[in-house]
């Protein structure tokens, strides 16, 4: 909710995205026809399905498209019945069968780069072309860190959902976990994101 009841307007360059619906068609694998925009080519092959709507968003200097369509799932046999998952700080997840998924520590690995690019941005004149270039370079590093984290979570949730019919997750006391001495890059958002990904991931 906006603070004080006033609307919050979007600012160009921050979470740029827009929503489209209407006549949308995918053809020839990696082409999609959009209302008011026309035909757009994608890097990845798209499924040949009727599309209801799309959301186009910008991250760093790249544009991404996500779309909604009807999907009918079919139940499949899982190799295992039940598994317990403990979301932690030192490890991304520890499972009841002894499997462990390590934290990728993407922020720690990219910390020097982030500091260097942040300093470069601060030294540039606000509104200048050089500052815009520096901001883009910084955004690329942030995107890389986010992508590494998302990839690790995706691999974990995919393995859990595809191989187990029931997944039991412990309730997180995030505040209590963070009171312990831990990697400063570990945040409440990361722990909750891992919990949410496992909870929401559904594979037939």
């Amino acid at each position: 909710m906006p603070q004080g009841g006033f609307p919050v307007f979007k600012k160009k360059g921050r979470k740029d995205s827009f929503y489209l619906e209407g006549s949308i068609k995918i053809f020839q694998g990696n082409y999609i026809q959009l209302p008011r925009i026309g035909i757009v080519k994608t890097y990845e092959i798209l499924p040949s399905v009727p599309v209801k709507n799309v959301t186009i968003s910008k991250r760093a200097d790249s544009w991404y498209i996500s779309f909604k369509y009807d999907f009918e799932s079919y139940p499949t046999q899982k190799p295992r019945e039940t598994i317990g998952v403990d979301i932690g700080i030192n490890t991304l997840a520890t499972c009841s069968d002894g499997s462990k998924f390590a934290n990728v520590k993407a922020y720690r690995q990219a910390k020097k780069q982030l500091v260097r690019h942040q300093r470069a941005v601060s030294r540039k004149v606000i509104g200048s072309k050089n500052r815009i270039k520096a901001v883009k370079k910084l955004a690329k590093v942030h995107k890389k860190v986010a992508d590494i984290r998302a990839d690790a979570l995706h691999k974990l949730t995919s393995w859990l959902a595809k191989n187990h019919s029931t997944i039991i997750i412990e309730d997180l006391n995030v505040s209590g976990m963070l009171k312990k001495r831990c990697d400063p890059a570990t945040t409440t958002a990361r722990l909750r994101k891992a919990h949410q990904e496992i909870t929401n991931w559904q594979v037939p």
Side-chain angles (χ1 to χ4, degrees), residues 128-146:
S128 67
K129 290 183 178 180
N130 286 334
R131 184 181 174 88
I132 293 173
K133 291 178 181 178
V135 169
K136 285 183 178 180
K137 290 180 180 179
L138 176 61
K140 283 184 179 181
V141 181
H142 277 296
K143 177 181 175 296
K144 184 178 179 180
V145 171

Side-chain angles (χ1 to χ4, degrees), residues 129-176:
K129 290 183 178 180
N130 286 334
R131 184 181 174 88
I132 293 173
K133 291 178 181 178
V135 169
K136 285 183 178 180
K137 290 180 180 179
L138 176 61
K140 283 184 179 181
V141 181
H142 277 296
K143 177 181 175 296
K144 184 178 179 180
V145 171
D147 287 346
I148 292 173
R149 288 174 174 169
D151 180 67
L153 278 176
H154 180 72
K155 288 176 180 176
L156 169 61
T157 53
S158 296
W159 179 78
L160 289 170
K162 289 179 180 178
N163 294 285
H164 307 88
S165 57
T166 304
I167 302 170
I168 302 173
I169 312 171
E170 95 290 3
D171 291 330
L172 286 180
N173 178 12
V174 175
S175 298

Side-chain angles (χ1 to χ4, degrees), residues 33-53:
Q33 185 170 357
L34 302 171
R36 301 193 298 274
I37 294 178
I39 298 174
V40 176
K41 183 179 179 181
T42 63
Y43 284 101
E44 296 184 13
I45 300 298
L46 306 176
S48 182
V49 295
V51 179
K52 291 188 173 183
N53 53 63

Side-chain angles (χ1 to χ4, degrees), residues 63-79:
W63 287 92
Y64 297 83
I65 184 169
S66 59
F67 48 89
K68 181 179 179 181
Y69 66 94
D70 290 326
F71 175 78
E72 186 174 354
S73 62
Y74 300 94
T76 58
Q77 188 68 32
K78 304 294 191 299

Side-chain angles (χ1 to χ4, degrees), residues 45-149:
I45 300 298
L46 306 176
S48 182
V49 295
V51 179
K52 291 188 173 183
N53 53 63
V54 300
T55 299
I56 298 176
S57 56
K58 186 179 183 182
R59 295 180 58 205
D61 60 345
S62 300
W63 287 92
Y64 297 83
I65 184 169
S66 59
F67 48 89
K68 181 179 179 181
Y69 66 94
D70 290 326
F71 175 78
E72 186 174 354
S73 62
Y74 300 94
T76 58
Q77 188 68 32
K78 304 294 191 299
R80 303 177 185 177
E81 285 295 323
T82 305
I83 191 169
V85 184
D86 179 15
I87 303 297
I89 294 176
N90 296 325
T91 59
L92 177 60
T94 302
C95 302
S96 58
D97 66 348
S99 301
K100 290 187 178 181
F101 291 79
N103 269 328
V104 290
K105 298 181 180 179
Y107 177 84
R108 178 182 290 180
Q109 294 172 4
K111 189 173 181 179
K112 289 183 179 180
Q113 278 185 293
L114 288 169
V115 171
R116 185 171 70 252
H117 287 299
Q118 285 167 349
R119 286 175 178 171
V121 170
S122 65
R123 287 196 294 264
K124 301 295 187 294
V125 178
I126 296 176
S128 67
K129 290 183 178 180
N130 286 334
R131 184 181 174 88
I132 293 173
K133 291 178 181 178
V135 169
K136 285 183 178 180
K137 290 180 180 179
L138 176 61
K140 283 184 179 181
V141 181
H142 277 296
K143 177 181 175 296
K144 184 178 179 180
V145 171
D147 287 346
I148 292 173
R149 288 174 174 169

